[in-house]
Amino acid sequence: MRIFEFIRPPDTATAIAAAAQSKTAQQGADVRFMGGGTTLIDLMKLNVEFPDRVLDINRLPLDKIDPTPDGGLKIGATVRNSDLAYHAKVQRDYSVLSQAILQGASAQIRNMATVSGNLLQRTRCVYFRDTAMPCNKREPGTGCPAITGHNRTLAILGASDHCIATNPSDMCIAMAALEATIHVQGPKGTRAIAFGDFHVLPGNTPNRETVLEPGDLITHVTLPPPITGSKQLYLKLRDRASYEFALASAAIVLTIANGNIKTARIALGGVGTKPWRSPEAEAALTGKPANDATYRQAAEAALRGAKAQSENAFKIELAKRCLTYALRTAAAS
Ligand SMILES: Cc1cc2nc3c(=O)[nH]c(=O)nc-3n(C[C@H](O)[C@H](O)[C@H](O)COP(=O)(O)OP(=O)(O)OC[C@H]3O[C@@H](n4cnc5c(N)ncnc54)[C@H](O)[C@@H]3O)c2cc1C
Ligand code: SF4
């Protein structure tokens, strides 16, 4: 294995990765990009990931946060999670993103972790990380022991008969609610992917988690112009107060006028196999009075399709209460 190759021009990085003709740019691939390494190196130590080459992308000029001409924000792929969370414009105009990042991991990890690495962090399902166990995500076709085993923290939305793993990211939940766009440079050129289209449901190919293709390098993420007067909140419920993944979380971006909800963007974390935007909750909120009855109806709508596993039925009510409380708190802010 050749590790820590430093890459400068992005097209060199994508050419090397594409030449490897791996299944995708980031899963089971021979060539892997490395941001902070807080996911990738962990998994390499566990023998879950074993790329031939690791390309360190930290010398690429992708570490800036800049305004866009339309009033939005451009966030480079290697911007550190801490730098993004404490950026003045993010704290002022996209506070849900700042809140979500700061409730994830630890200060040390946030100082290392990059935006692109966070977008592609892997599940915390215990079987995925234990090579003594079968796992469809790690080794397609071997089975999913979580379905009959330990699944307390796993997904209640978007699961399949092949995988019930939760997407663990906090940052992604806020980005889903903010309608971010992910920008990629690959062997065929550049393209922009709407946040909701980036992660894919497990279906019968849980080894594939995103629409990235061989050689695709995430270069940056853009946020649309901020919504004037929006009330934003990220609420995360977990087993302990810090350094723990969400059992349920909610990202809220609301506007309210004359006591009625004008616009609502809602995403849920800790419950879905991908960052879970809820158009059902948004429809239940839009145009309705900003009160507890409306918030609970939205929560019921958001979780209507939820399916419990043997150990995680509690998450359905927990997620409903999380969303209801987050909406009430955001509306009152
Ligand atoms: C103990 C611990 C606790 C944690 N707690 C939380 C938590 O509570 N909430 C939470 O949200 N997260 C948590 N995390 C996860 C953490 O947020 C991620 O590990 C981190 O965001 C990954 O970023 P990175 O830059 O280190 O990724 P890396 O490890 O460098 O990369 C991750 C993946 O992305 C790929 N990649 C990186 N950059 C690119 C690119 N530009 N283009 C294409 N592919 C790329 C890599 O090949 C790899 O597959 C925790 C992690 C640890 C270790
Ligand atoms: S839930 Fe997914 S990641 Fe976990 S064991 Fe099953 S297939 Fe593997």
Side-chain angles (χ1 to χ4, degrees):
M1 181 177 67
R2 287 188 278 165
I3 189 169
F4 296 127
E5 293 178 62
F6 294 105
I7 298 297
R8 281 180 192 276
D11 51 350
T12 310
T14 55
I16 295 171
Q21 282 304 313
S22 325
K23 278 165 269 174
T24 75
Q26 33 84 41
Q27 287 145 33
D30 306 325
V31 178
R32 302 293 294 273
F33 300 127
M34 189 186 74
T38 63
T39 285
L40 183 60
I41 302 299
D42 265 12
L43 293 174
M44 287 170 69
K45 287 183 193 162
L46 293 169
N47 275 331
V48 172
E49 302 265 18
F50 33 83
D52 291 333
R53 299 172 80 178
V54 176
L55 305 184
D56 186 330
I57 60 169
N58 288 288
R59 292 187 190 176
L60 295 176
L62 302 173
D63 59 349
K64 300 283 186 296
I65 302 176
D66 294 309
T68 58
D70 67 352
L73 207 60
K74 176 181 176 185
I75 305 159
T78 59
V79 168
R80 304 290 149 179
N81 286 187
S82 302
D83 292 335
L84 181 58
Y86 289 117
H87 191 273
K89 193 165 165 57
V90 174
Q91 290 193 311
R92 191 187 64 219
D93 296 335
Y94 306 99
S95 68
V96 66
L97 180 58
S98 177
Q99 295 170 50
I101 292 171
L102 292 177
Q103 289 180 59
S106 65
Q108 291 86 348
I109 291 169
R110 295 192 297 267
N111 287 343
M112 280 302 290
T114 60
V115 167
S116 52
N118 199 325
L119 290 169
L120 296 171
Q121 65 170 286
R122 312 295 306 270
T123 184
R124 311 307 284 198
C125 172
V126 290
Y127 303 105
F128 174 70
R129 292 173 169 256
D130 181 353
T131 54
M133 299 298 293
C135 168
N136 283 330
K137 188 181 278 298
R138 183 167 28 79
E139 283 181 71
T142 54
C144 175
I147 290 173
T148 50
H150 294 299
N151 52 45
R152 178 176 174 273
T153 61
L154 300 187
I156 52 174
L157 289 164
S160 75
D161 292 342
H162 302 273
C163 181
I164 57 171
T166 323
N167 181 293
S169 174
D170 293 301
M171 182 195 80
C172 287
I173 309 309
M175 285 195 175
L178 290 169
E179 296 187 335
T181 301
I182 296 166
H183 299 261
V184 167
Q185 176 172 329
K188 295 179 195 151
T190 58
R191 67 189 198 282
I193 305 163
F195 197 89
D197 298 333
F198 182 74
H199 298 92
V200 295
L201 293 173
N204 55 14
T205 53
N207 52 311
R208 187 177 176 98
E209 295 173 348
T210 69
V211 295
L212 289 181
E213 296 292 341
D216 279 347
L217 173 76
I218 297 171
T219 53
H220 60 284
V221 174
T222 50
L223 299 179
I227 301 175
T228 311
S230 62
K231 296 166 181 284
Q232 302 186 16
L233 186 85
Y234 186 73
L235 176 66
K236 177 176 180 180
L237 305 182
R238 45 191 156 167
D239 281 329
R240 58 183 177 196
S242 78
Y243 210 35
E244 186 55 277
F245 293 89
L247 288 169
S249 72
I252 312 281
V253 181
L254 273 186
T255 55
I256 299 178
N258 304 320
N260 286 330
I261 297 166
K262 226 168 110 193
T263 61
R265 290 194 203 149
I266 307 297
L268 303 176
V271 289
T273 50
K274 59 181 266 186
W276 202 262
R277 177 101 181 251
S278 179
E280 298 85 358
E282 293 170 6
L285 291 164
T286 307
K288 305 282 171 26
N291 61 30
D292 274 3
T294 302
Y295 306 148
R296 183 69 196 189
Q297 278 163 15
E300 294 290 342
L303 274 299
R304 195 154 289 137
K307 179 171 175 279
Q309 304 297 328
S310 58
E311 294 179 343
N312 67 6
F314 75 98
K315 274 188 161 194
I316 297 178
E317 182 58 25
L318 187 73
K320 288 180 187 173
R321 293 186 190 186
C322 179
L323 180 52
T324 306
Y325 187 82
L327 285 164
R328 185 189 307 138
T329 310
S333 64

